[in-house]
Amino acid sequence: MSSRLTVAVLGTGIMGAPMARNLLRAGFPVHVWNRSREKAEALAGDGAVVAGSPAEATGDADVVLTMLADTDAVVASVDRALDGPRVWVQASTVGLAGTERCAAIAAANGVDFVDAPVLGTRQPAEDGKLTVLASGPDDRREELGPLFDAVGARTMWLGEAGAGTRLKLVANAWIATLVEGLAETFVLAEGIGVRPQSFLEAISGGLMDSGYAHLKGKAMIERAFDPAFPLRLAAKDLRLIEEARREQDLELPLLTAVAERFAEGVERGNGELDFSATYLTGASS
Ligand SMILES: NC(=O)c1ccc[n+]([C@@H]2O[C@H](COP(=O)([O-])OP(=O)(O)OC[C@H]3O[C@@H](n4cnc5c(N)ncnc54)[C@H](OP(=O)(O)O)[C@@H]3O)[C@@H](O)[C@H]2O)c1
């Protein structure tokens, strides 16, 4: 029965842990592995079986779900861990080349590959309200439906593996420019004697408004950068967007500038803060 697929979750960080918890709540048997074991152990009380290695987690699982930092982390973790599962759901943001690399590894191991990055951050992950950007073999849609329903509010099936990652890069280009734009709007406001709060009040409820402006604006005003989406990961995503831009010979000067700005924030030691902390780069310069 599809709702009884055993799922091995590799990576129980900000996103992987709540996704595993929501799978457990929906009745899936879940095995978890994390490089730093204590983060996986935190899920034992929810009913997860904690594994000491990726291979132990995936050994008798039907599906392996990876939610790891980047391509190297994903590739290192699935190495020798694809013998058991029939399907690999790759949800980390790894970009175009990373997705091709993962698809090749899956093919070499005879495992179906589903590229399924997600939209949404810590809170939507905890609430099971992510948007899953799924792409891969059509004949896996039905059995994976309940799995995606457990972690997300919506699943978009987009075609062949790789299509999910392409849309994910597009969505992250949008939120990155929004947040950098907001940060610089605040720095301008403060520089010319306008309270950032006044700006938020001015746009509130109109066509210029954005829920994101209020969410991330509050973080900037309070300088409270508890990471929902760490700046180091946002910088990684902007590098992936830059790679895609170069590959296609596109001219995207704004995104190139945002990539540089996020990288600078990481160099300044703000990588573990939420990516709204890009504000600190402008505010302190
Ligand atoms: N946070 C968000 O808002 C968000 C939203 C959508 C998508 N994503 C994407 O989802 C993925 C996970 O994000 P997250 O926010 O959950 O990140 P996170 O909290 O930093 O978790 C990253 C995970 O990767 C593991 N890891 C890092 N390097 C590794 C390596 N070399 N070998 C094995 N494991 C390694 C970490 O293990 P340790 O615990 O041992 O460090 C941890 O389990 C990323 O690709 C991110 O871009 C994030």
Side-chain angles (χ1 to χ4, degrees):
M1 200 168 82
S2 57
S3 66
R4 290 292 164 200
L5 290 173
T6 297
V7 186
V9 177
L10 306 184
T12 55
I14 292 172
M15 300 295 284
M19 288 167 79
R21 207 167 272 123
N22 284 324
L23 288 169
L24 287 159
R25 283 188 192 128
F28 289 90
V30 176
H31 301 181
V32 288
W33 171 83
N34 195 73
R35 179 179 64 175
S36 314
R37 189 182 166 100
E38 68 277 6
K39 288 189 199 165
E41 270 167 2
L43 290 154
D46 299 281
V49 176
V50 180
S53 69
E56 189 188 322
T58 59
D60 58 1
D62 302 297
V63 178
V64 54
L65 187 156
T66 45
M67 198 51 174
L68 294 147
D70 55 22
T71 307
D72 288 344
V74 172
V75 170
S77 301
V78 298
D79 186 38
R80 291 191 290 277
L82 291 176
D83 287 345
R86 291 176 278 120
V87 187
W88 174 8
V89 174
Q90 205 307 101
S92 335
T93 309
V94 299
L96 305 183
T99 299
E100 277 175 21
R101 205 170 146 198
C102 292
I105 292 169
N109 284 274
V111 176
D112 278 357
F113 182 70
V114 177
D115 164 44
V118 296
L119 298 187
T121 186
R122 184 197 290 271
Q123 192 62 51
E126 287 173 359
D127 297 342
K129 294 273 170 60
L130 297 169
T131 296
V132 181
L133 307 179
S135 56
D138 271 344
D139 55 8
R140 292 297 181 189
R141 280 179 68 151
E142 198 181 329
E143 79 174 326
L144 292 178
L147 187 156
F148 291 146
D149 288 347
V151 299
R154 195 155 69 105
T155 300
M156 291 173 72
W157 277 95
L158 295 155
E160 282 183 24
T165 283
R166 285 196 290 278
L167 182 50
K168 172 68 182 168
L169 292 186
V170 169
N172 277 23
W174 171 240
I175 58 159
T177 45
L178 260 186
V179 164
E180 183 59 32
L182 183 69
E184 295 190 23
T185 299
F186 275 24
V187 173
L188 168 70
E190 287 163 338
I192 59 174
V194 173
R195 286 168 55 245
Q197 188 60 45
S198 301
F199 159 71
L200 290 178
E201 282 164 24
I203 63 169
S204 196
L207 286 177
M208 286 162 67
D209 204 359
S210 141
Y212 225 64
H214 293 276
L215 179 74
K216 297 304 184 185
K218 184 168 184 286
M220 292 176 198
I221 288 167
E222 294 175 357
R223 298 193 176 219
F225 300 112
D226 186 29
F229 182 32
L231 185 58
R232 67 182 152 81
L233 292 180
K236 175 260 303 175
D237 289 358
L238 269 291
R239 285 197 300 275
L240 297 173
I241 290 166
E242 272 293 286
E243 279 170 28
R245 179 192 72 73
R246 268 190 237 110
E247 183 105 322
Q248 298 302 320
D249 206 12
L250 303 172
E251 207 179 315
L252 303 170
L254 179 58
L255 284 166
T256 301
V258 176
E260 285 167 7
R261 198 67 165 171
F262 282 9
E264 191 182 339
V266 173
E267 271 167 35
R268 286 174 179 232
N270 295 331
E272 294 302 326
L273 303 179
D274 188 69
F275 78 131
S276 48
T278 188
Y279 163 75
L280 295 175
T281 307
S284 57
S285 60

